[in-house]
Amino acid sequence: MYAFELHHAKSVADASAALSRTGGKALAGGQSLVAAMKLRLAQPGHLVDLSGIPELKGIRREGDHLVIGAMTRHADVVSSEAVKGAIPALAALAEGIGDRQVRNMGTIGGSIANNDPAADWPAAVLGLGATVVTSKRKIAADEFFKGMFETALAEGEIITAVSFPVPKKAAYAKFPNPASRFALVGVFVAQTGAGTRVAVTGAASSVFRSKAHEDALAKDWSAAAAKAVRTPDANLNSDLHGTAAYRAHLVSVMASRAVGATH
Amino acid sequence: MGANEEGVIGKAVRRKEDARFLTGTGQYTDDVNQPNQTQAFFLRSPHAHAKIRGIDTAKAKASPGVVAVYTGADLEGVNGLPCGWLIHSTDGTPMKEPPHPVLAKGKVRYVGDHVALVIAETLAQAKDAAELIEVDYEVLPSVVNPIDALKPGAPQIHDEAPGNKCYTWALGDKAAVDAAFSKAAHVTRLDLVNNRLIPNAIEPRAAVASYSRADDAYTLYTTSQNPHVERLLMTAFVLGLPEHKVRVIAPDVGGGFGSKIYLYAEETAMVWAAKRVNRPIKWACERSESFLSDAHGRDHVTRAELALDKDGKFLALRVHTVAAMGAYLSTFASCIPTILYATLLAGQYTTPAIYAEVTAAFTNTAPVDAYRGAGRPEATYVVERIVHQAAAETGIAQDELRRRNFIRTFPYQTPVALLYDTGGYDACLDEANRMADVKGFAARKAESAKHGKLRGLGYASYIEACGLAPSNIAGALGARAGLFEAGEVRVHPTGSVTVFTGSHSHGQGHETTFAQVVAGRLGIPVENVDVVHGDTGRVVFGMGTYGSRSLAVGGTAIVKAVDKVIDKGKKIAAHLLEAAETDIEFRDGKFTVAGTDRSKAFGEVALAAYVPHNYPLDRLEPGLNETAFYDPTNFTFPAGTHVCEVEIDPDTGVVKVVQFCACDDFGNIINPMIVEGQVHGGVAQGLGQAMLENCVYDPKSGQLLTGTYMDYAMPRADDLPSFKVGTKVTPCTHNPLGAKGCGEAGAIGAPAAFMNAVMDALAAVGVKHFDMPATPHRVWAAIQSAKHA
């Protein structure tokens, strides 16, 4: 790790100011960033720690939405009664992230800001059509994820919360990479007020919606219908852990399992 | 054998060492800190194969906090790292032994090869300085696969090894095998890859080297399984230092699995540098470095052929193997795919003719050497996979085909050099069948099928040669060292005992098992016996811990020393009891005049030895401290049958191990709890190889693609079931403990048992074979290609 300067922000405004002043990076849970820094793969000169900002924490129900503060730790989502009552699929998803240590440190805001192609949270945010609330604006999920490790966030823009519409039904099924336990393929399915949504993580360079599955499930919300869909493998990842063809196959298998798990 | 011995031996005594491990008070190499200590960092090659046109260290030397920067050019007069085993090719020529420089000279040959040693006040300063070293590389084509390395036109890694060939070695009667094949009723053929593994001990390697001007002596703390061997190789072969001026201490060590047997470049360079900088130097390997630079395991490509008669009797086995050595010969690299591999190809079977030919190839990868099992898992995998395949082809039940070929008469001379002293293969197979409820398997398979799952059952009836080794035999086979063990039993005046053993414990529990051996034999409480290991300054000598040898060889050396103590004690007791020495019996911790109730307790005799007021000083030295060296007369042959049951989800390719049963014959058992732990650990490691682990280098760039846990899959608790473990006992006939060794059995039996179960399950969908690891993707792909075949 290279030397860096650490700033403890007390408010979102304070953090924004520090980021624009130093050109540094925001530190959320640090579960990706700190590991990269330890390997000397990232060398920010300044880190702005968001963990001391009260308004970024907490989970609350706002009408037909569930709002999760950006600095809420995965472990807090797992144990939240509000989450379990409104969207139990989110609690289940959070429980499948990393290990206990990662869940105790990692945050929802950090995860989606990083937009790792194999992360779990992007599937839920896109699958539910959530809104990403930032220090500057509100961004629809469909506009937020731009590509591998790329988002719509501008320099110095800080995610403050994610607002999830409470769906009729939702579930997430993840096929873990045997080594990393990140999603080799993870599929989030939901019946929302805005229609049937299916988001896929792990399979491609960034989370994406599977239109074919959405159409099939809109007609017939069943595991069999999801499984019958053939996903094209043209843009999917191929690596040590699975070919594009395998990932394409798993998208339908996981979609069907997710549908089977909804209730 | 007295009552106390019966009371202690065979008991699940809680591990004495666990108190410090569980309370965080273990003392590992990285816990060692010395005054004025510096920090080392090794600059490693980013290329798999490159010429070094020049190295400019000027900026690095001027970097803040830097104490010294050394490259290969600085190590004048320092020899290369040696290989401890000389193999001869079939044409009589010795194996090719290209130089293995401590720091690269002129060329780098794998990603992670050592280019420079940077010593600084802090680790961060050392790393910063390393980034300032300018190395002018001319990148060369590389080759990482041993088959590719042997092809004409492959990149030439060493000038000394044309065609990248280290040796072609053979064992067995080729003509007899050819003749047997010509009259076989059935021949089974199988091409197998034994996947390359990265050891991943929980504690990465580390070292603290220091030099004392006061006595011109060096001290090295390091993560070693065999500190005396490390010292011998380093002083006599590489650095040219007087052996008595170097003390090597291997304190608590967090696992080795073979990877800490070897003399590595890092600690060697540090000892050399410690005198030059005249300050202690510390290095702790980071996990990423560990992936790159620890000696890897396995990496065999094999074609095997088994000839059977019409009744399923094995007539002959023919095996051709290409084994990767990596870029350089590590300490024992050359003997693993030969002496510890081909000699095991008889397995538990009476196969009368066996021929094995092994070609060892240099590749642009980390060196390959012994890894838990070392040659024997590879042999078991070949034998047990082809036996499974033969059973499938002939329609003979898996267990029945094994039974038809079991060796039942001992001693048994195999056609591949080994002489099995004893064994009871039917007993282990029968017990494993019982434990696994094989009778109920058909019903379970039907139940799985109802849920769309494929269930399979696989066996591995393995054998291993442990208790390395009779030195004369090893020497005849090319060993450049002896393979005995040393033990010292120091009885203190009050009758408590300190045992010094040349075996090293890095998780095995020697401090408990050896204490039980001594306490049992002397009739004293286990608490009164402490075991010291891992320090050349305290232990007389030692060949160390590998090859499941500690109890059979190291334990026997201790027993011999204890027996000397008892013999001397009898002389002392005879004097004290005014009886003839021949009338003294030692039993239950007491020296007794036979047929009387006159006796002296062990403690009284010990006290008399150290306070010799009433003592036969004219005939006997005071004191009670005995040393013994033990050289075994044969290998030991642990054996057993493992039965694995899997259930496969054809939709995803996920293989679930639903049951794993191991029935092993380790000879006599001192501590069943420790043995069970060793089997559990070994099976987990073996299943890790078969299900998950795979070291992959990029064939084009030679970069290590599985260089972190993001891509190298280690087994986790939830990947595995709770294992069922049982034992049968045929005591080893040639050591006084009757012990054979248990440390590697799990890793030897499990891969074949698991893969056989997978193939049994997938037979229904037309899959015959694919290579380890059976990851979900590979299983799914195998099912798809069988569908489209």
Side-chain angles (χ1 to χ4, degrees), chain B residues 573-593:
Chain B
H575 174 86
L576 295 174
L577 293 163
E578 296 177 341
E581 192 187 320
T582 48
D583 289 340
I584 302 292
E585 289 175 346
F586 182 68
R587 185 185 288 269
D588 301 340
K590 282 190 292 197
F591 295 92
T592 304
V593 181

PDB file of all heavy atoms in Angstrom, chain B residues 573-593:
ATOM      1  N   ALA B 573      19.148 -49.250  38.975  1.00  0.00           N
ATOM      2  CA  ALA B 573      18.222 -49.884  39.924  1.00  0.00           C
ATOM      3  C   ALA B 573      18.828 -51.136  40.537  1.00  0.00           C
ATOM      4  O   ALA B 573      18.665 -51.406  41.731  1.00  0.00           O
ATOM      5  CB  ALA B 573      16.907 -50.213  39.209  1.00  0.00           C
ATOM      6  N   ALA B 574      19.544 -51.890  39.713  1.00  0.00           N
ATOM      7  CA  ALA B 574      20.178 -53.111  40.216  1.00  0.00           C
ATOM      8  C   ALA B 574      21.139 -52.775  41.356  1.00  0.00           C
ATOM      9  O   ALA B 574      21.180 -53.450  42.389  1.00  0.00           O
ATOM     10  CB  ALA B 574      20.913 -53.831  39.084  1.00  0.00           C
ATOM     11  N   HIS B 575      21.857 -51.672  41.157  1.00  0.00           N
ATOM     12  CA  HIS B 575      22.789 -51.246  42.197  1.00  0.00           C
ATOM     13  C   HIS B 575      22.027 -50.833  43.451  1.00  0.00           C
ATOM     14  O   HIS B 575      22.354 -51.254  44.565  1.00  0.00           O
ATOM     15  CB  HIS B 575      23.633 -50.074  41.661  1.00  0.00           C
ATOM     16  CG  HIS B 575      24.524 -49.457  42.701  1.00  0.00           C
ATOM     17  ND1 HIS B 575      25.788 -49.948  42.975  1.00  0.00           N
ATOM     18  CD2 HIS B 575      24.325 -48.405  43.533  1.00  0.00           C
ATOM     19  CE1 HIS B 575      26.339 -49.220  43.929  1.00  0.00           C
ATOM     20  NE2 HIS B 575      25.455 -48.259  44.286  1.00  0.00           N
ATOM     21  N   LEU B 576      20.972 -50.023  43.260  1.00  0.00           N
ATOM     22  CA  LEU B 576      20.220 -49.510  44.421  1.00  0.00           C
ATOM     23  C   LEU B 576      19.522 -50.640  45.166  1.00  0.00           C
ATOM     24  O   LEU B 576      19.392 -50.610  46.382  1.00  0.00           O
ATOM     25  CB  LEU B 576      19.173 -48.479  43.965  1.00  0.00           C
ATOM     26  CG  LEU B 576      19.712 -47.173  43.349  1.00  0.00           C
ATOM     27  CD1 LEU B 576      18.555 -46.323  42.815  1.00  0.00           C
ATOM     28  CD2 LEU B 576      20.526 -46.369  44.377  1.00  0.00           C
ATOM     29  N   LEU B 577      19.053 -51.640  44.409  1.00  0.00           N
ATOM     30  CA  LEU B 577      18.277 -52.726  45.015  1.00  0.00           C
ATOM     31  C   LEU B 577      19.162 -53.914  45.371  1.00  0.00           C
ATOM     32  O   LEU B 577      18.678 -54.945  45.838  1.00  0.00           O
ATOM     33  CB  LEU B 577      17.184 -53.187  44.034  1.00  0.00           C
ATOM     34  CG  LEU B 577      16.082 -52.148  43.754  1.00  0.00           C
ATOM     35  CD1 LEU B 577      15.303 -52.513  42.502  1.00  0.00           C
ATOM     36  CD2 LEU B 577      15.146 -52.022  44.950  1.00  0.00           C
ATOM     37  N   GLU B 578      20.468 -53.748  45.124  1.00  0.00           N
ATOM     38  CA  GLU B 578      21.439 -54.804  45.408  1.00  0.00           C
ATOM     39  C   GLU B 578      21.003 -56.124  44.791  1.00  0.00           C
ATOM     40  O   GLU B 578      20.929 -57.170  45.449  1.00  0.00           O
ATOM     41  CB  GLU B 578      21.646 -54.939  46.916  1.00  0.00           C
ATOM     42  CG  GLU B 578      22.252 -53.652  47.499  1.00  0.00           C
ATOM     43  CD  GLU B 578      22.405 -53.702  49.016  1.00  0.00           C
ATOM     44  OE1 GLU B 578      21.743 -54.545  49.645  1.00  0.00           O
ATOM     45  OE2 GLU B 578      23.184 -52.893  49.529  1.00  0.00           O
ATOM     46  N   ALA B 579      20.664 -56.037  43.494  1.00  0.00           N
ATOM     47  CA  ALA B 579      20.228 -57.239  42.768  1.00  0.00           C
ATOM     48  C   ALA B 579      21.025 -57.347  41.480  1.00  0.00           C
ATOM     49  O   ALA B 579      21.716 -56.403  41.092  1.00  0.00           O
ATOM     50  CB  ALA B 579      18.736 -57.149  42.450  1.00  0.00           C
ATOM     51  N   ALA B 580      20.939 -58.494  40.871  1.00  0.00           N
ATOM     52  CA  ALA B 580      21.611 -58.647  39.572  1.00  0.00           C
ATOM     53  C   ALA B 580      20.825 -57.886  38.514  1.00  0.00           C
ATOM     54  O   ALA B 580      19.594 -57.852  38.552  1.00  0.00           O
ATOM     55  CB  ALA B 580      21.667 -60.123  39.192  1.00  0.00           C
ATOM     56  N   GLU B 581      21.552 -57.260  37.586  1.00  0.00           N
ATOM     57  CA  GLU B 581      20.901 -56.454  36.550  1.00  0.00           C
ATOM     58  C   GLU B 581      19.893 -57.294  35.757  1.00  0.00           C
ATOM     59  O   GLU B 581      18.834 -56.805  35.370  1.00  0.00           O
ATOM     60  CB  GLU B 581      21.993 -55.914  35.624  1.00  0.00           C
ATOM     61  CG  GLU B 581      21.529 -54.854  34.683  1.00  0.00           C
ATOM     62  CD  GLU B 581      22.628 -54.509  33.682  1.00  0.00           C
ATOM     63  OE1 GLU B 581      23.799 -54.437  34.082  1.00  0.00           O
ATOM     64  OE2 GLU B 581      22.285 -54.343  32.508  1.00  0.00           O
ATOM     65  N   THR B 582      20.240 -58.548  35.540  1.00  0.00           N
ATOM     66  CA  THR B 582      19.356 -59.425  34.758  1.00  0.00           C
ATOM     67  C   THR B 582      18.049 -59.724  35.487  1.00  0.00           C
ATOM     68  O   THR B 582      17.090 -60.171  34.877  1.00  0.00           O
ATOM     69  CB  THR B 582      20.067 -60.755  34.448  1.00  0.00           C
ATOM     70  OG1 THR B 582      20.640 -61.249  35.665  1.00  0.00           O
ATOM     71  CG2 THR B 582      21.147 -60.561  33.406  1.00  0.00           C
ATOM     72  N   ASP B 583      18.017 -59.462  36.792  1.00  0.00           N
ATOM     73  CA  ASP B 583      16.781 -59.720  37.541  1.00  0.00           C
ATOM     74  C   ASP B 583      15.845 -58.518  37.586  1.00  0.00           C
ATOM     75  O   ASP B 583      14.750 -58.590  38.141  1.00  0.00           O
ATOM     76  CB  ASP B 583      17.109 -60.131  38.992  1.00  0.00           C
ATOM     77  CG  ASP B 583      17.722 -61.531  39.046  1.00  0.00           C
ATOM     78  OD1 ASP B 583      17.520 -62.276  38.055  1.00  0.00           O
ATOM     79  OD2 ASP B 583      18.408 -61.848  40.021  1.00  0.00           O
ATOM     80  N   ILE B 584      16.299 -57.396  37.034  1.00  0.00           N
ATOM     81  CA  ILE B 584      15.469 -56.178  37.120  1.00  0.00           C
ATOM     82  C   ILE B 584      14.494 -56.138  35.951  1.00  0.00           C
ATOM     83  O   ILE B 584      14.869 -56.296  34.792  1.00  0.00           O
ATOM     84  CB  ILE B 584      16.343 -54.892  37.086  1.00  0.00           C
ATOM     85  CG1 ILE B 584      17.366 -54.909  38.237  1.00  0.00           C
ATOM     86  CG2 ILE B 584      15.467 -53.643  37.134  1.00  0.00           C
ATOM     87  CD1 ILE B 584      16.785 -54.788  39.618  1.00  0.00           C
ATOM     88  N   GLU B 585      13.238 -55.928  36.316  1.00  0.00           N
ATOM     89  CA  GLU B 585      12.216 -55.738  35.285  1.00  0.00           C
ATOM     90  C   GLU B 585      11.720 -54.306  35.354  1.00  0.00           C
ATOM     91  O   GLU B 585      11.615 -53.732  36.444  1.00  0.00           O
ATOM     92  CB  GLU B 585      11.000 -56.644  35.575  1.00  0.00           C
ATOM     93  CG  GLU B 585      11.271 -58.105  35.348  1.00  0.00           C
ATOM     94  CD  GLU B 585      10.079 -58.966  35.762  1.00  0.00           C
ATOM     95  OE1 GLU B 585       9.177 -58.434  36.458  1.00  0.00           O
ATOM     96  OE2 GLU B 585      10.055 -60.141  35.390  1.00  0.00           O
ATOM     97  N   PHE B 586      11.426 -53.730  34.189  1.00  0.00           N
ATOM     98  CA  PHE B 586      10.852 -52.386  34.197  1.00  0.00           C
ATOM     99  C   PHE B 586       9.408 -52.480  33.736  1.00  0.00           C
ATOM    100  O   PHE B 586       9.118 -52.992  32.658  1.00  0.00           O
ATOM    101  CB  PHE B 586      11.638 -51.454  33.268  1.00  0.00           C
ATOM    102  CG  PHE B 586      11.106 -50.045  33.288  1.00  0.00           C
ATOM    103  CD1 PHE B 586      11.233 -49.260  34.434  1.00  0.00           C
ATOM    104  CD2 PHE B 586      10.466 -49.499  32.178  1.00  0.00           C
ATOM    105  CE1 PHE B 586      10.730 -47.964  34.471  1.00  0.00           C
ATOM    106  CE2 PHE B 586       9.966 -48.211  32.210  1.00  0.00           C
ATOM    107  CZ  PHE B 586      10.099 -47.431  33.348  1.00  0.00           C
ATOM    108  N   ARG B 587       8.506 -51.996  34.578  1.00  0.00           N
ATOM    109  CA  ARG B 587       7.075 -52.119  34.284  1.00  0.00           C
ATOM    110  C   ARG B 587       6.327 -51.031  35.056  1.00  0.00           C
ATOM    111  O   ARG B 587       6.670 -50.723  36.199  1.00  0.00           O
ATOM    112  CB  ARG B 587       6.615 -53.507  34.755  1.00  0.00           C
ATOM    113  CG  ARG B 587       5.186 -53.870  34.424  1.00  0.00           C
ATOM    114  CD  ARG B 587       4.854 -55.210  35.061  1.00  0.00           C
ATOM    115  NE  ARG B 587       5.513 -56.332  34.380  1.00  0.00           N
ATOM    116  CZ  ARG B 587       4.961 -57.007  33.370  1.00  0.00           C
ATOM    117  NH1 ARG B 587       3.761 -56.698  32.949  1.00  0.00           N
ATOM    118  NH2 ARG B 587       5.605 -58.004  32.817  1.00  0.00           N
ATOM    119  N   ASP B 588       5.376 -50.443  34.429  1.00  0.00           N
ATOM    120  CA  ASP B 588       4.505 -49.443  35.086  1.00  0.00           C
ATOM    121  C   ASP B 588       5.303 -48.333  35.768  1.00  0.00           C
ATOM    122  O   ASP B 588       4.943 -47.857  36.851  1.00  0.00           O
ATOM    123  CB  ASP B 588       3.592 -50.110  36.141  1.00  0.00           C
ATOM    124  CG  ASP B 588       2.716 -51.169  35.522  1.00  0.00           C
ATOM    125  OD1 ASP B 588       2.521 -51.125  34.290  1.00  0.00           O
ATOM    126  OD2 ASP B 588       2.239 -52.045  36.261  1.00  0.00           O
ATOM    127  N   GLY B 589       6.391 -47.965  35.183  1.00  0.00           N
ATOM    128  CA  GLY B 589       7.170 -46.871  35.757  1.00  0.00           C
ATOM    129  C   GLY B 589       8.018 -47.272  36.945  1.00  0.00           C
ATOM    130  O   GLY B 589       8.513 -46.423  37.681  1.00  0.00           O
ATOM    131  N   LYS B 590       8.184 -48.591  37.138  1.00  0.00           N
ATOM    132  CA  LYS B 590       8.980 -49.062  38.286  1.00  0.00           C
ATOM    133  C   LYS B 590      10.000 -50.102  37.841  1.00  0.00           C
ATOM    134  O   LYS B 590       9.701 -50.957  37.000  1.00  0.00           O
ATOM    135  CB  LYS B 590       8.064 -49.695  39.344  1.00  0.00           C
ATOM    136  CG  LYS B 590       7.334 -48.664  40.191  1.00  0.00           C
ATOM    137  CD  LYS B 590       6.638 -49.320  41.369  1.00  0.00           C
ATOM    138  CE  LYS B 590       5.484 -50.200  40.909  1.00  0.00           C
ATOM    139  NZ  LYS B 590       4.549 -50.527  42.008  1.00  0.00           N
ATOM    140  N   PHE B 591      11.184 -50.009  38.474  1.00  0.00           N
ATOM    141  CA  PHE B 591      12.209 -51.039  38.298  1.00  0.00           C
ATOM    142  C   PHE B 591      12.051 -52.003  39.464  1.00  0.00           C
ATOM    143  O   PHE B 591      12.172 -51.601  40.627  1.00  0.00           O
ATOM    144  CB  PHE B 591      13.609 -50.425  38.305  1.00  0.00           C
ATOM    145  CG  PHE B 591      13.863 -49.504  37.126  1.00  0.00           C
ATOM    146  CD1 PHE B 591      13.609 -48.128  37.228  1.00  0.00           C
ATOM    147  CD2 PHE B 591      14.352 -50.007  35.928  1.00  0.00           C
ATOM    148  CE1 PHE B 591      13.850 -47.295  36.153  1.00  0.00           C
ATOM    149  CE2 PHE B 591      14.593 -49.164  34.839  1.00  0.00           C
ATOM    150  CZ  PHE B 591      14.337 -47.802  34.950  1.00  0.00           C
ATOM    151  N   THR B 592      11.749 -53.257  39.146  1.00  0.00           N
ATOM    152  CA  THR B 592      11.414 -54.224  40.185  1.00  0.00           C
ATOM    153  C   THR B 592      12.350 -55.431  40.086  1.00  0.00           C
ATOM    154  O   THR B 592      12.702 -55.861  38.986  1.00  0.00           O
ATOM    155  CB  THR B 592       9.953 -54.712  39.996  1.00  0.00           C
ATOM    156  OG1 THR B 592       9.108 -53.564  40.004  1.00  0.00           O
ATOM    157  CG2 THR B 592       9.525 -55.652  41.108  1.00  0.00           C
ATOM    158  N   VAL B 593      12.741 -55.957  41.255  1.00  0.00           N
ATOM    159  CA  VAL B 593      13.476 -57.224  41.259  1.00  0.00           C
ATOM    160  C   VAL B 593      12.450 -58.321  40.979  1.00  0.00           C
ATOM    161  O   VAL B 593      11.452 -58.441  41.700  1.00  0.00           O
ATOM    162  CB  VAL B 593      14.171 -57.472  42.614  1.00  0.00           C
ATOM    163  CG1 VAL B 593      14.950 -58.793  42.575  1.00  0.00           C
ATOM    164  CG2 VAL B 593      15.079 -56.308  42.975  1.00  0.00           C
TER     165      VAL B 593
END
